[in-house]
Amino acid sequence: MKKISVFDIIGPIMIGPSSSHTAGALRISLIAYKIFKGTIKEVKFTLYGSFAKTYKGHGTDRALLGGIMGFDTDDDRIRNSFEIADNNNLKYSFIEGETTPEMHPNTVRIDILGEDSSMSLVGESIGGGSVLVRQINGIDVKFTGEYTTIMVQQIDKPGVVAHITKVLSENNINIAFMSLFRESLGEKAFTMLELDEKVSEDILLKLKENEYIIDTFLISI
């Protein structure tokens, strides 16, 4: 059984009035920032549910923009996110999306455009600063970012998952949670590995030794 700490109850140290609408929003955006490889030139935030209704008053917009620039929840620069983004020529927009009944009330879709690449991510702020990432580039996933997380983008072929677990085992890395998400049989997939300890980026190079692994990402917030 997972132990509950005082931080699970009172939430994270943060700038802003609401753990769900500021800290949680920022963490979703920060995960997107850490996954995206390259310089972010433009970002579009599509807000749903209560995010869409209250994002200006609760500072959700500043938090999302701060996260996409790499700010953490207690960074004083969050207050000046708009000015900092403008000074760095980062284009941004906020759009109110059409909420569907199955959506969590605090949901955001983030569309990122870089020099020669793009990415989309959908996340939910589920309370107390905790988040759940639900989709990356149109593929359904599910991870929290609360653990050190390795995300492997791969082709769904036999032996890939065995290679991943073998590399981690040989490096004495313990897996807390592991999930595989795929478009369809034999197509692109993501393996999400939430780990019990910090790891160095060297492990990503070892994972890439399999021919069917497209890319690897290390996420730690």
Side-chain angles (χ1 to χ4, degrees), residues 9 32 44 75 91 105-106 114 128 141 144 188 199 206:
I9 300 169
K44 179 175 72 174
D75 196 317
K91 296 180 180 179
N106 298 328
V141 298
T144 65
K188 287 183 181 179
V199 296
K206 295 178 182 179

Side-chain angles (χ1 to χ4, degrees), residues 2-218:
K2 180 184 176 182
K3 293 182 179 179
I4 298 175
S5 74
V6 65
F7 297 106
D8 294 319
I9 300 169
I10 65 172
I13 299 171
M14 64 183 185
I15 303 296
S18 166
S19 58
S20 293
H21 286 228
T22 49
L26 185 141
R27 281 180 164 173
I28 296 168
S29 198
L30 184 58
I31 288 171
Y33 165 81
K34 292 193 173 187
I35 293 174
F36 189 78
K37 295 188 175 181
T39 301
I40 298 172
K41 296 295 184 181
E42 186 173 352
V43 59
K44 179 175 72 174
F45 301 100
T46 306
L47 302 143
Y48 301 92
S50 62
F51 266 4
K53 295 176 182 177
T54 65
Y55 71 93
K56 292 181 181 179
H58 283 184
T60 306
D61 47 4
R62 294 195 306 272
L64 287 168
L65 197 52
I68 213 66
M69 292 188 289
F71 304 167
D72 212 334
T73 54
D74 59 350
D75 196 317
D76 287 335
R77 291 176 296 173
I78 296 168
R79 296 187 177 96
N80 302 311
S81 291
F82 291 106
E83 293 86 349
I84 296 169
D86 292 339
N87 290 338
N88 286 282
N89 297 315
L90 173 62
K91 296 180 180 179
Y92 55 88
S93 59
F94 297 89
I95 298 170
E96 296 181 20
E98 184 175 345
T99 306
T100 58
E102 66 272 13
M103 276 185 170
H104 189 279
N106 298 328
T107 297
V108 60
R109 175 187 169 101
I110 304 173
D111 290 285
I112 299 173
L113 185 64
E115 289 283 1
D116 52 10
S117 60
S118 60
M119 187 189 81
S120 68
L121 179 147
V122 177
E124 303 167 352
S125 179
I126 58 177
S130 297
V131 305
L132 196 60
V133 176
R134 284 292 192 179
Q135 194 178 86
I136 298 174
N137 290 340
I139 298 177
D140 291 334
V141 298
K142 186 179 180 181
F143 72 98
T144 65
E146 292 181 6
Y147 295 81
T148 296
T149 302
I150 291 177
M151 183 177 80
V152 180
Q153 186 179 13
Q154 69 209 61
I155 303 297
D156 182 40
K157 294 288 186 180
V160 179
V161 173
H163 167 74
I164 294 168
T165 54
K166 180 174 181 288
V167 169
L168 295 182
S169 176
E170 289 175 346
N171 288 271
N172 295 313
I173 298 170
N174 197 50
I175 301 170
F177 303 100
M178 178 176 175
S179 303
L180 174 68
F181 305 90
R182 65 186 187 184
E183 291 178 338
S184 59
L185 181 64
E187 301 297 327
K188 287 183 181 179
F190 286 112
T191 297
M192 310 300 305
L193 302 127
E194 296 181 278
L195 311 174
D196 284 327
E197 61 250 68
K198 300 287 186 182
V199 296
S200 71
E201 294 203 3
D202 293 342
I203 201 73
L204 303 184
L205 297 175
K206 295 178 182 179
L207 290 170
K208 282 186 176 180
E209 291 174 0
N210 185 283
E211 61 180 315
Y212 295 116
I213 290 181
I214 301 168
D215 211 345
T216 54
F217 308 84
L218 180 61

